[in-house]
Amino acid sequence: MTDSPAAPDWFTKAVFAPCESRFVDVDGTPIHYLAWNLRDRDKPGLLFTHGFRAHARWWSFVAPFFLSRFRVVSMDFAGMGDSGARQHYSSETFSRDIRGVIADAGFERTTLVGHSFGGGRVARVCADYPELVERAVIIDSFFQVPEIGQRELPKFEPRPKNIYPTYEAARARFRLVPEENAAAPYVLDFIAQHSLKQVPGGWTWKFDEYFSPRQVDVDPATTAAMLERIQAPVTLMYGDSSRVVSRQLAHAVVKHLRFGRGPVAIPQSHHHVMLDQPI
């Protein structure tokens, strides 16, 4: 837990930094986000987005380090975290989630940071709504580009989530996907704690089990064209031991970005870069 003796002071101070939970309605769906310092109106906006089936709290021990320079928020996409679920998901609906949070937070041109699934959504907003974006950082996000070819996504069969009788039983089932990681136990405990919710009969996961990444997957040519439309500076980062983003892919993606920077390999990290190397 966050108050474990194993958790260093920097981590404990960060996760207990005062923030508020806010909701904005986007196309009839409540979208949840965390806001740390929205009253600092003289500072530019910074928005963190998360990966598939993750949530805003993946950034709780990172976001507070940016409060001196930015107004900082971290969001839950629809169907994940504390946001509401939708009947239908698409690239466009997730882009509108981001737009809705930017507008509700009162940001103008915003710095966007996205990990994994969130990085793809950030890229889409950069391409489709350039007026909203000052710059972007994309972290270990897989893109279907021609140099790499089409990757076959895992088969997805929607099924009801398990309900566990106790929090401890549910926590024991928590896994990262992919599982390889170098994260400290106190980091994983914190992430797992905020991935679960209490329901009649016990505990279960917060995410919508019926959303599949296949609903936003696009072919390599379309992805390349989208990346090439981005006008904002984009820095690409990846874990040097990532099983999702290879060095070859990272360099290929940067070549499609007009103002691409990097790629920057973060040492001793896998796909979940901010968990493995938060500092």
Side-chain angles (χ1 to χ4, degrees):
M1 304 294 288
T2 55
D3 60 353
S4 166
D9 286 346
W10 69 263
F11 181 86
T12 302
K13 289 177 180 177
V15 298
F16 283 111
C19 69
E20 59 177 322
S21 285
R22 295 171 63 109
F23 288 87
V24 56
D25 183 283
V26 178
D27 301 332
T29 301
I31 301 300
H32 172 255
Y33 68 99
L34 300 173
W36 277 265
N37 59 338
L38 290 186
R39 292 184 179 86
D40 295 347
R41 297 187 179 279
D42 58 322
K43 297 174 182 176
L46 171 62
L47 168 60
F48 289 97
T49 69
H50 59 77
F52 177 59
R53 290 185 170 177
H55 49 77
R57 289 285 183 184
W58 279 57
W59 295 105
S60 288
F61 43 89
V62 174
F65 287 95
F66 294 87
L67 299 182
S68 64
R69 295 176 54 200
F70 296 94
R71 281 181 290 162
V72 183
V73 302
S74 176
M75 66 176 289
D76 290 327
F77 285 115
M80 291 171 257
D82 294 317
S83 289
R86 288 197 167 101
Q87 290 294 317
H88 303 285
Y89 299 91
S90 68
S91 293
E92 291 74 21
T93 62
F94 287 116
S95 293
R96 291 197 290 271
D97 290 347
I98 293 175
R99 288 175 59 202
V101 171
I102 289 173
D104 195 70
F107 293 169
E108 294 179 358
R109 292 178 63 85
T110 307
T111 296
L112 301 177
V113 180
H115 171 247
S116 192
F117 175 85
R121 313 289 69 77
V122 161
R124 175 67 61 181
V125 169
C126 289
D128 292 348
Y129 306 104
E131 71 280 5
L132 298 180
V133 183
E134 182 68 25
R135 63 180 63 84
V137 179
I138 293 174
I139 304 171
D140 219 86
S141 298
F142 184 88
F143 291 93
Q144 304 269 21
V145 292
E147 295 89 335
I148 304 300
Q150 189 97 19
R151 183 178 73 170
E152 184 65 26
L153 292 174
K155 291 184 178 180
F156 178 83
E157 296 182 3
R159 59 184 181 183
K161 292 177 288 192
N162 291 328
I163 296 177
Y164 303 92
T166 65
Y167 171 82
E168 290 73 19
R171 170 65 183 90
R173 299 297 301 167
F174 177 77
R175 300 288 187 276
L176 297 175
V177 179
E179 288 196 43
E180 297 90 352
N181 71 89
Y186 55 83
V187 172
L188 295 179
D189 281 345
F190 181 83
I191 294 299
Q193 175 189 353
H194 292 282
S195 300
L196 289 158
K197 62 181 178 180
Q198 199 161 13
V199 296
W203 294 79
T204 194
W205 312 107
K206 290 182 175 181
F207 59 77
D208 178 3
E209 66 269 40
Y210 296 104
F211 167 64
S212 165
R214 289 178 179 273
Q215 293 170 261
V216 297
D217 188 40
V218 292
D219 65 86
T222 303
T223 299
M226 180 269 292
L227 293 171
E228 289 162 6
R229 286 194 290 114
I230 295 175
Q231 299 295 318
V234 178
T235 300
L236 191 102
M237 306 170 74
Y238 68 104
D240 67 347
S241 299
S242 174
R243 195 155 60 87
V244 174
V245 177
S246 65
R247 182 178 184 276
Q248 179 188 11
L249 173 60
H251 280 269
V253 171
V254 169
K255 287 181 180 178
H256 286 284
L257 295 166
R258 183 171 300 185
F259 300 105
R261 300 175 178 180
V264 179
I266 303 302
Q268 300 177 25
S269 63
H270 299 269
H271 173 60
H272 305 288
V273 177
M274 72 286 241
L275 307 189
D276 289 356
Q277 297 294 342
I279 296 297

